[in-house]
């Protein structure tokens, strides 16, 4: 079985690193493509022994399982590009946040009657085989396709099937989750440094504390509230600290974060569905390079600009 | 000492005394005629008489007629009353003070040496036998007296023993805590009114909601966080409402309330 990645960025790199560490697939059976060869992850992939190309079509032709690991707004272009090359054997797995199975199937049925499509949402800790992945199966995907994907993704962490309508929420929680954790860890380390610890030690201890707590929770039948109680001796240090967290609205901040990420994911999805992209949203020349590939048609020019200040930011000027 | 034989006296005839009396008599373990209540005015004595207790205006008479004496007067009255009754307090007596902020040390100082003293912090729902009571033993009170008190007060609600240092926290949590719950219930009802319900109905529903939730919490033996999670259907009404509560910092406010009330209890105890 050959695995291909359309896109050679952070996600492709993390998945390849995880898969190879897990030993589920040999790197010479993996191909990745990207028009941008300057990405630092490209050299990382090459060093791991992955076959690299600038041609998405070549990757499609040389793979059985094809991961779409590009930004959501690039997906429509990629699908138009590789559509003609999709065969019955192909299993298309989209990892793009907010991009629906139906939007992908709609594109691909122009080229093939029953494209086997699945959608997954994973996260970066797949790189250390502690990923959190969910997937949903498309109209023409078979049961064994789901099993295959689950086997692959389970080798790099937790993986389970879900109904597609939950995937945006998963993005908000575990897709973005590592970023929340990194932010928390940075701040915890600052706290340690403020109270006299050397930075490296503070970072190490903070990370271990979160890792240990997470492990305890996963191994326990108990509610996190109960586990919290177990740490808080009466009148002790921890309960004093927790009061500060509560006063700062710690819990509501986290709820807000998950909600904001989920809502933004849905917004991105409707942008992709409309195929409306503003030059502002595409930071590099990726689009130009994609358009340079033979057989790719541009979708009717850039439409109305995406407002950088959306309605969830009251008090900011609208462009 | 069998509960049924104990002669019990109350100095003070307020709500706390009444609630405890009701509870003590409810179990049937104590005979009404073995209960003597004293208060300076007759205003409050009627309801004790209805229960079959003996009433008097003489504190010393209540002490003489009893073995176990509840001191259930306002804290500022305690020194005068103890000075009045001290000559009649013997080593056979067990004095249980319900006065907020009056320490065991103060009580023992004002009573004859070797007096058996306990300090009890009940709360208002003792009146309906759903109180939360915490007691602490003085230097001469043994486990036997503790056990007797626990048995006697059992019908009043939840009875626990602890070191005196916990009594101020208990005051903050449960003594004042009752008022915090009333505030929460009022706010629940206001929310109902805002969303279109008549206020009388909203208040009755709010009260029943608090009561029902309280019973489930007490009787299920499960952690409140677990019960909360169980009510929250994914994407449902409850989780949306809870988010608003968290945004409002309710948890921190409640912790702060218990802290403030406890600190004040400590302050009052030092005076």
């Amino acid at each position: 079985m050959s695995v291909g990645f359309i896109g050679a960025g952070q996600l492709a790199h993390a998945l390849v690193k995880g898969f190879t560490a897990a030993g589920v697939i040999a790197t010479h059976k993996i191909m990745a493509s990207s028009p941008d060869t300057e990405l630092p992850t490209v050299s990382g992939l090459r060093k791991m022994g992955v076959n690299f190309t600038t041609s998405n079509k070549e990757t499609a032709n040389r793979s059985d399982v094809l991961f779409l690991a590009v930004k959501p707004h690039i997906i429509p272009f990629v699908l138009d590009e590789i559509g003609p090359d999709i065969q019955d054997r192909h299993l298309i797995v989209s990892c793009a946040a907010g991009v629906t199975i139906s939007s992908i199937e709609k594109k691909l049925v122009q080229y093939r009657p029953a494209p086997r499509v699945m959608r997954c949402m994973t996260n970066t800790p797949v790189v250390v085989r502690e990923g959190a992945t969910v997937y949903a199966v498309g109209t023409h995907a078979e049961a064994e396709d789901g099993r295959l994907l689950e086997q692959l993704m389970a080798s790099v962490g937790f993986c389970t099937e879900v109904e597609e309508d939950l995937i945006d929420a998963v993005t908000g929680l575990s897709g973005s989750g590592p970023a929340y954790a990194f932010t928390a860890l940075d701040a915890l380390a600052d706290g340690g440094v403020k109270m006299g610890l050397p930075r490296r030690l503070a970072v190490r201890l903070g990370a271990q504390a979160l890792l240990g707590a997470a492990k305890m929770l996963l191994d326990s039948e108990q509610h996190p509230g109960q586990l919290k109680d177990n740490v808080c001796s009466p009148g002790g240090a921890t309960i004093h600290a927790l009061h500060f967290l509560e006063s700062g609205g710690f819990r509501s901040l986290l709820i807000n974060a998950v909600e904001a990420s989920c809502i933004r994911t849905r917004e991105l999805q409707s942008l992709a569905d409309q195929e409306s992209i503003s030059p502002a949203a595409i930071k590099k020349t990726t689009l130009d390079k994609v358009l340079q590939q033979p057989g790719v048609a541009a979708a009717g020019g850039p439409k109305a600009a995406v407002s950088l200040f959306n309605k969830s930011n009251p008090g900011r000027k609208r462009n | 000492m069998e509960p049924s034989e104990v002669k019990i006296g109350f100095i003070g005839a307020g709500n706390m005394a009444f609630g405890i009396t009701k509870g003590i008599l409810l179990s049937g373990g104590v005979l009404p005629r073995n209960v003597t209540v004293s208060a300076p005015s007759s205003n409050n004595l009627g309801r004790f008489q209805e229960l079959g207790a003996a009433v008097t205006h003489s504190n010393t008479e209540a002490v003489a007629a009893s073995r176990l004496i509840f001191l259930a007067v306002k804290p500022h009255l305690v020194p005068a009353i103890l000075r009045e009754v001290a000559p009649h307090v013997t080593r056979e007596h067990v004095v249980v003070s319900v006065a907020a902020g009056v320490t065991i040390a103060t009580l023992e100082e004002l009573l004859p040496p070797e007096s058996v003293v306990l300090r009890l912090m009940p709360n208002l729902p003792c009146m309906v036998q759903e109180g939360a009571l915490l007691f602490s033993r003085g230097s001469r009170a043994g486990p036997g007296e503790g056990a007797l008190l626990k048995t006697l007060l059992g019908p009043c609600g939840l009875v626990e023993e602890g070191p005196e240092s916990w009594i101020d926290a208990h005051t903050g949590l449960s003594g004042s805590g009752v008022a915090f719950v009333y505030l929460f219930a009022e706010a629940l009802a206001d929310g109902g009114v805002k969303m279109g319900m008549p206020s009388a109905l909203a208040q009755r529903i709010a009260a029943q909601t608090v009561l029902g939730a309280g019973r489930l919490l007490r009787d299920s033996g499960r952690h409140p966080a677990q019960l909360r999670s169980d009510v929250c259907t994914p994407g449902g009404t409850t989780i949306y409402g809870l988010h608003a509560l968290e945004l409002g910092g309710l948890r921190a406010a409640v912790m702060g309330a218990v802290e403030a009330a406890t600190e004040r209890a400590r302050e009052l105890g030092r005076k």
Side-chain angles (χ1 to χ4, degrees), chain A residues 215-232:
Chain A
K215 200 144 199 276
M216 276 178 74
L217 179 57
L218 288 173
D219 284 352
S220 165
E221 301 280 301
Q222 295 184 305
H223 194 282
Q226 178 68 65
L227 292 170
K228 173 216 5 125
D229 283 358
N230 296 345
V231 186
C232 291

Side-chain angles (χ1 to χ4, degrees), chain B residues 165-255:
Chain B
S165 60
W166 291 1
I167 292 209
D168 292 326
H170 179 73
T171 308
L173 163 57
S174 177
S176 304
V178 170
F180 307 158
V181 174
Y182 291 152
L183 187 148
F184 184 71
E186 188 183 352
L188 277 176
D190 284 346
V193 170
K194 179 173 178 182
M195 302 322 288
M197 209 181 250
S199 77
L201 179 62
Q203 286 191 2
R204 281 172 37 225
I205 292 178
Q208 186 63 28
T209 303
V210 169
L211 175 64
R215 275 190 68 176
L216 280 176
L217 178 58
R218 178 190 63 189
D219 297 341
S220 72
R222 299 167 81 205
H223 196 280
Q226 184 63 63
L227 289 169
R228 170 178 50 87
S229 292
D230 288 349
V231 184
C232 291
T233 352
T237 64
T238 309
I239 192 69
Y240 270 70
L242 278 175
H243 189 187
L245 278 181
E246 298 286 7
L247 280 167
L250 178 66
R251 289 176 187 261
V254 172
M255 288 176 77

Side-chain angles (χ1 to χ4, degrees), chain A residues 12 27 44 46-47 68 76 88 118 147 197 200 212 218 224 232 243 262 312-313 317:
Chain A
T27 45
R46 278 194 163 124
K47 285 206 190 89
L68 303 181
D88 285 339
M118 293 193 289
R147 281 195 292 272
L197 296 177
R200 283 185 61 126
L218 288 173
C232 291
H243 193 183
C262 177
S312 61
N313 276 314
K317 278 201 323 195

Side-chain angles (χ1 to χ4, degrees), chain B residues 35-50:
Chain B
V35 176
T36 309
V37 184
S38 89
S41 98
S42 300
N43 288 344
N44 291 325
L45 291 176
R47 50 188 180 164
F48 289 87
Q49 282 174 304
E50 275 166 40

Side-chain angles (χ1 to χ4, degrees), chain A residues 90-133:
Chain A
H90 277 109
L91 188 55
I92 316 281
V93 181
S94 165
C95 305
V99 178
T100 59
I101 290 175
S102 81
S103 68
I104 298 172
E105 287 177 345
K106 228 168 39 176
K107 273 267 176 205
L108 292 179
V109 293
Q110 295 169 42
Y111 305 97
R112 194 128 209 110
R116 284 148 64 206
V117 175
M118 293 193 289
R119 175 183 174 187
C120 82
M121 170 49 52
T122 181
N123 65 358
T124 52
V126 290
V127 71
V128 292
R129 300 179 62 197
E130 284 291 359
T133 308

Side-chain angles (χ1 to χ4, degrees), chain A residues 28-72:
Chain A
H28 68 268
K29 296 198 94 69
I30 303 178
M31 175 163 270
S33 56
S34 164
D36 183 352
T37 55
E38 306 300 309
L39 293 171
T41 44
V42 168
S43 58
L45 285 164
R46 278 194 163 124
K47 285 206 190 89
M48 287 192 274
V50 166
N51 302 296
F52 181 80
T53 170
T54 51
S55 165
N56 291 334
K57 291 169 88 67
E58 188 186 345
T59 299
N61 285 326
R62 299 263 298 266
S63 310
D64 305 311
V65 176
L66 194 58
F67 282 94
L68 303 181
V70 293
K71 294 270 187 301

Side-chain angles (χ1 to χ4, degrees), chain A residues 191-275:
Chain A
V193 168
K194 179 173 177 181
M195 304 321 289
L197 296 177
R199 169 69 56 173
R200 283 185 61 126
L201 180 60
V203 170
R204 187 76 185 72
L205 291 172
Q208 188 64 35
L210 287 201
L211 174 65
K215 200 144 199 276
M216 276 178 74
L217 179 57
L218 288 173
D219 284 352
S220 165
E221 301 280 301
Q222 295 184 305
H223 194 282
Q226 178 68 65
L227 292 170
K228 173 216 5 125
D229 283 358
N230 296 345
V231 186
C232 291
S233 2
T238 310
I239 190 70
H240 272 70
L242 273 181
H243 193 183
F244 264 99
L245 283 181
E246 298 289 3
S247 299
F250 185 57
R251 291 174 186 258
S252 64
L253 284 179
L254 290 170
I255 297 174
N256 290 349
V258 173
E259 186 177 37
S261 172
C262 177
I263 290 176
R264 179 58 178 164
T265 302
R266 291 175 187 154
E267 264 174 42
L268 291 172
Q269 175 217 307
S270 38
L271 287 179
D273 278 350
Q274 297 157 35
E275 292 186 42

Side-chain angles (χ1 to χ4, degrees), chain B residues 19-21 23-24 125-126 128-133 152-159:
Chain B
I20 293 175
T21 304
I24 285 176
C126 282
V128 292
Q129 280 70 59
E130 284 291 5
L133 303 91
L152 273 177
L153 295 175
C156 298
L158 176 72
V159 187

